[in-house]
Amino acid sequence: MDGVTATGVRATARIVARQDGRGGTALPVLEGDGPLALRRTRAGGDEARVMLVGAMSGPLGGDRFAVETEVGPGARLRVGSAAATIALPGQAKGESRYDVRIDVGEDGELHWLPEQLISVRGSDLRMRTRVEVAGSARLVLREEQVLGRAGEESGRLTSRLAVRVAGRAVLDQEVACGPGAPGGWDGPAVLAGHRAMGQLLVVRPEFTRESVEARMLGEGATLVPLAGPAALVTAVAADGLRLRRVLDEALASLA
């Protein structure tokens, strides 16, 4: 753990995946402690698997968390989490931050599938995900946010996702919800009263030859091609369970 200060906890987890020379994927770096514990789980074929385990509550107000993941050329990695991340108010004043940095090398593949983020009343979290993907790499990335626990108002949540493929920006968007967010976040143009929102980003070289067509995926979900070998599903739903169902169906349609 990087440390505990009067303004909150500082913690960084690091994952590096490399080809092991025997047709599989090795994890020469798997570092995480404090609230960001990492566990290697049973591999599937040539794919390494890692679980992010929340060893402490958080992020709380003032905390600074970061997860850095690097997938080397030809390596395959799947990352999940053992439970939802819950953004909570804390004794320290100020917003908490959760930064995710992802790099996928040539012919590498990453499935980034954490559990949902729940924004609890009174919390203030700014989350930023930055992704660099090589031109021949593959990526499946899922983000899900739930505004408040059952029967509870949301905290303030700001989430930004920026993606570059082969050095070219294909996506850079930010959404802010909850108390203090710009007006209209709960209006018909954004959440329209829904309590859960999510995104599914799929990057595949095949999309340069087999273009993805923009379309609706039932009520509250859309699929759009991006300016590169990538497609984005954006969805809203009444709750986290329904949101997951929509995103799972969308991923199956893109397989």
Side-chain angles (χ1 to χ4, degrees):
M1 185 162 55
D2 294 348
V4 180
T5 72
T7 57
V9 174
R10 304 290 190 272
T12 300
R14 298 180 178 88
I15 307 169
V16 176
R18 295 278 189 265
Q19 283 189 313
D20 64 6
R22 302 186 301 274
T25 297
L27 298 172
V29 178
L30 191 63
E31 301 174 345
D33 58 7
L36 298 175
L38 297 172
R39 300 289 184 267
R40 181 167 187 163
T41 60
R42 185 181 297 274
D46 59 353
E47 176 186 76
R49 298 181 179 181
V50 173
M51 191 69 67
L52 181 62
V53 180
M56 296 169 56
S57 297
L60 305 175
D63 288 352
R64 301 288 187 271
F65 292 177
V67 180
E68 300 171 357
T69 301
E70 180 185 345
V71 180
R76 298 185 62 195
L77 176 66
R78 180 180 296 264
V79 178
S81 59
T85 297
I86 303 178
L88 297 163
Q91 294 182 347
K93 295 182 179 180
E95 69 180 13
S96 55
R97 294 193 178 186
Y98 201 134
D99 291 323
V100 175
R101 178 62 189 263
I102 293 170
D103 289 275
V104 187
E106 296 290 348
D107 296 314
E109 183 170 343
L110 172 64
H111 287 242
W112 183 265
L113 302 169
E115 293 301 310
Q116 296 167 340
L117 167 66
I118 301 174
S119 177
V120 169
R121 180 180 179 181
S123 64
D124 185 358
L125 175 64
R126 178 176 292 273
M127 186 166 187
R128 180 176 60 176
T129 302
R130 293 176 293 172
V131 182
E132 291 277 352
V133 185
S136 60
R138 291 173 171 79
L139 171 71
V140 175
L141 180 147
R142 183 184 68 211
E143 288 190 340
E144 300 169 305
Q145 296 93 22
V146 179
L147 303 181
R149 294 170 292 196
E152 177 185 65
E153 296 179 0
S154 173
R156 178 166 182 175
L157 173 64
T158 304
S159 178
R160 181 176 179 181
L161 175 60
V163 182
R164 293 169 60 89
V165 179
R168 179 184 181 186
V170 300
L171 178 68
D172 192 342
Q173 68 179 27
E174 182 175 284
V175 61
C177 303
W185 66 270
D186 199 26
V190 188
L191 288 183
H194 292 91
R195 302 275 296 176
M197 58 184 178
Q199 299 180 101
L200 178 71
L201 173 71
V202 179
V203 179
R204 289 180 179 158
E206 293 86 350
F207 288 163
T208 60
R209 303 184 300 272
E210 304 169 3
S211 60
V212 175
E213 294 184 2
R215 62 183 186 270
M216 295 292 297
L217 299 174
E219 184 178 354
T222 60
L223 167 65
V224 295
L226 301 179
L232 178 70
V233 176
T234 302
V236 295
D239 54 44
L241 181 62
R242 296 179 188 180
L243 176 65
R244 176 64 59 84
R245 187 181 300 122
V246 169
L247 294 181
D248 282 351
E249 291 174 356
L251 180 57
S253 73
L254 290 169

